[in-house]
């Protein structure tokens, strides 16, 4: 068979290329330019070399918020992924009940971030909130605006409530894609429920889970609105995550140079993690 | 005049301009190299099989980390980190 090489198709990609250049490359280049200068305003910037980077890398405030960020993302993954798999396994496999459960699960995903923050801010209040006053009524000393542990608990609970359904829905679709023949073979072999999960369901869920982990890691790593609305980053700075630290620096303090250096470090972390996941996904496809 | 405004907004400096020109030059050279002799995916000392472009990307990303680590731990000249990165990139492209 003769294939005609026609490269004119690439021209059709050109608009996308231009769009990406304008929306991503030029702003990124500008951030790189800002990161080596002290900027006081339009037209008055001074070259400072790599001073901002040195300062950012040695800043305790940023190191602390980076550690908090990794702890938060790690906790989010450790809770949401197993919980999501568990929910997906318990969901009905078909019929009206399945549709109902799917709709119920999807509701938290449809609520905008700032609304989620507001809902939980009221829900967890000790005086008028259902959750907060219930805990207080049980004699538990709970106050997310004063106690660091309570603040973390509430922020995590909020994220679990908001995003576990996504993991569950992804796993559910992965589970439905497993052919019935596998289960029949397992039945013939008298495989236990655990063996079915371990050797059939979990391996078949692998690619869906990588996507779920990637999505949840990236989203939680860049979380801003929800904790900002719920706790405002407090008490103190105990729930101030990376993007909030960055925003305070760039917009609150108008420290553009330092914020630019910081966002480049942030960008490099995100880039490295995404690359690892991307490689994992593409190599898994190749092995199949 | 318009273009000058545009560049003013981006606050270009000579070092950053050189940085991006070098990146563009590397990409251009790699493109030409690929056209002249298309690369074959292979397995080197990296745990995964990679193409030339993959190795370049990994090399550039790790070089960025080398520079950051250098700034974090020592006050010695950054040109040493640059030299290390160039050597590392060469090793990675050849044997990675």
């Amino acid at each position: 068979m003769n294939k005609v090489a026609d490269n004119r198709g690439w021209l059709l990609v050109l608009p996308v290329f231009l769009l990406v250049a304008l929306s991503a490359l030029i702003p990124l280049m500008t951030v790189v330019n800002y990161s080596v200068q002290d900027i006081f305003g339009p037209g008055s910037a001074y070259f400072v070399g790599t001073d901002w980077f040195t300062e950012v890398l040695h800043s305790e405030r940023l190191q602390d918020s980076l550690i908090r960020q990794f702890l938060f993302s790690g906790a989010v993954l450790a809770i949401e992924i197993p919980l999501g798999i568990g929910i997906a396994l318990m969901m009905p496999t078909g019929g009206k009940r399945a549709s109902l459960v799917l709709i119920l699960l999807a509701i938290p995903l449809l609520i905008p971030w700032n609304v989620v923050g507001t809902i939980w801010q009221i829900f967890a209040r000790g005086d008028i909130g259902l959750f907060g006053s219930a805990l207080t009524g049980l004699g538990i000393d709970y106050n997310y605006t004063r106690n660091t542990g309570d603040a973390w608990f509430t922020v995590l609970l909020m994220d679990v409530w908001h995003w576990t359904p996504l993991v569950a829905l992804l796993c559910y679709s992965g589970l439905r894609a497993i052919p019935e023949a596998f289960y029949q073979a397992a039945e013939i072999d008298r495989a236990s429920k655990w063996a079915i999960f371990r050797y059939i369901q979990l391996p078949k869920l692998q690619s869906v889970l990588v996507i779920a982990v990637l999505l949840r890691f990236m989203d939680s790593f860049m979380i801003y609105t929800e904790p900002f609305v719920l706790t405002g980053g407090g008490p103190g700075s105990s729930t101030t995550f990376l993007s909030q630290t960055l925003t305070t620096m760039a917009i609150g303090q108008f420290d553009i140079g330092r914020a630019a250096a910081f966002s480049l470090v942030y960008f490099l972390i995100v880039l490295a993690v995404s690359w690892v996941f991307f490689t994992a996904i593409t190599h898994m496809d190749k092995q199949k | 005049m318009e273009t000058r405004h545009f560049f003013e907004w981006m606050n270009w400096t000579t070092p950053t301009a050189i940085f991006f020109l070098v990146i563009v030059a590397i990409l251009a050279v790699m493109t030409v190299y690929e056209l002249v002799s298309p690369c074959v995916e292979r397995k080197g000392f990296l745990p995964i099989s990679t193409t030339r472009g993959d190795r370049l990307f990994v090399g550039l990303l790790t070089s960025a980390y080398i520079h950051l680590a250098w700034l974090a731990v020592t006050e010695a000249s950054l040109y040493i980190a640059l030299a290390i990165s160039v050597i590392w990139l060469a090793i990675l492209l050849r044997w990675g």
Side-chain angles (χ1 to χ4, degrees):
Chain A
M1 202 175 82
N2 283 325
K3 254 192 179 172
V4 183
D6 186 353
N7 282 325
R8 275 178 299 179
W10 287 104
L11 284 176
L12 298 173
V13 186
L14 207 61
V16 177
F17 183 76
L18 282 175
L19 199 70
V20 171
L22 283 172
S23 67
L25 289 180
I26 289 176
L28 185 66
M29 283 176 166
T30 313
V31 172
V32 173
N33 291 338
Y34 284 2
S35 71
V36 293
Q37 296 176 83
D38 198 356
I39 293 166
F40 295 102
S44 68
Y46 298 91
F47 185 74
V48 295
T50 53
D51 286 4
W52 290 137
F53 286 93
T54 315
E55 216 182 286
V56 161
L57 290 169
H58 287 109
S59 155
E60 260 176 42
R61 183 178 149 211
L62 296 180
Q63 285 168 1
D64 287 351
S65 91
L66 186 68
I67 293 168
R68 272 198 293 276
Q69 185 66 67
F70 273 113
L71 280 177
F72 178 72
S73 292
V76 160
L77 289 180
I79 299 169
E80 289 178 16
I81 299 293
L83 195 61
I85 297 174
I87 291 172
L89 285 173
M90 284 190 293
M91 276 165 71
T93 49
K96 276 192 182 146
R97 276 172 61 219
S99 315
L100 185 71
V101 173
L102 284 175
I103 293 168
L104 285 177
L105 267 182
I107 289 174
L109 298 173
L110 301 176
I111 302 175
W113 285 264
N114 53 348
V115 179
V116 170
T118 314
I119 288 173
W120 278 85
Q121 202 213 27
I122 297 167
F123 187 52
R125 270 178 65 159
D127 49 357
I128 55 167
L130 183 64
F131 178 66
S133 51
L135 283 184
T136 316
L138 287 171
I140 299 166
D141 184 24
Y142 169 83
N143 187 332
Y144 70 88
T145 55
R146 203 178 50 215
N147 184 309
T148 305
D150 293 349
W152 265 80
F153 172 71
T154 316
V155 173
L156 274 174
L157 193 64
M158 173 176 67
D159 200 84
V160 167
W161 174 81
H162 195 186
W163 291 111
T164 309
L166 177 77
V167 182
L169 290 178
L170 282 170
C171 291
Y172 182 72
S173 68
L175 284 173
R176 293 292 78 76
I178 302 174
E180 197 53 39
F182 282 90
Y183 292 112
Q184 286 164 359
E187 214 169 307
I188 292 167
D189 286 345
R190 285 203 197 166
S192 65
K193 267 202 160 169
W194 166 252
I196 293 175
F197 174 69
R198 174 69 189 79
Y199 296 105
I200 296 175
Q201 289 169 324
L202 201 57
K204 288 277 171 197
L205 281 179
Q206 198 185 20
S207 51
V208 187
L209 281 178
V210 173
I211 295 170
V213 171
L214 177 66
L215 284 177
R216 284 316 304 134
F217 178 82
M218 298 321 281
D219 244 11
S220 64
F221 203 74
M222 297 187 285
I223 194 166
Y224 176 76
T225 318
E226 292 153 300
F228 181 74
V229 175
L230 180 69
T231 63
S237 57
S238 58
T239 52
T240 307
F241 299 116
L242 272 186
S243 58
Q244 200 187 326
T245 315
L246 181 61
T247 314
T248 314
M249 194 186 278
I251 296 166
Q253 306 163 349
F254 206 70
D255 226 341
I256 306 260
R258 196 185 282 132
F262 181 38
S263 37
L264 285 176
V265 176
Y266 198 166
F267 170 69
L268 283 172
I269 297 171
V270 171
L271 194 62
V273 175
S274 320
W275 181 81
V276 168
F277 278 104
F278 174 75
T279 317
I281 293 172
T282 46
H283 278 258
M284 259 167 18
D285 286 346
K286 267 181 209 163
Q287 278 169 6
K288 284 174 187 168
Chain B
M1 194 59 201
E2 276 302 305
T3 45
R4 243 203 79 195
H5 265 301
F6 185 70
F7 282 110
E8 258 178 30
W9 159 74
M10 286 184 78
N11 264 317
W12 280 100
T13 64
T14 320
T16 50
I18 293 171
F19 171 75
F20 280 114
L21 285 175
V22 169
I23 299 279
V24 170
I26 291 174
L27 289 179
V29 170
M30 291 294 279
T31 310
V32 174
Y33 187 21
E34 183 67 30
L35 289 174
V36 175
S37 77
C39 91
V40 185
E41 197 172 313
R42 64 161 166 79
K43 172 102 178 55
F45 65 77
L46 288 174
I48 46 165
S49 59
T50 49
T51 63
R52 216 180 270 148
D54 292 337
R55 289 191 292 277
L56 176 73
F57 176 78
V58 176
L60 289 177
L61 190 59
T62 41
S63 299
Y65 277 97
I66 292 173
H67 281 83
L68 286 180
W70 192 267
L71 284 174
V73 296
T74 167
E75 282 176 10
S77 168
L78 203 58
Y79 286 107
I80 304 170
L82 181 66
I84 296 170
S85 300
V86 170
I87 296 166
W88 162 241
L89 193 60
I91 293 171
L92 197 66
L93 282 172
R94 177 66 190 80
W95 293 289

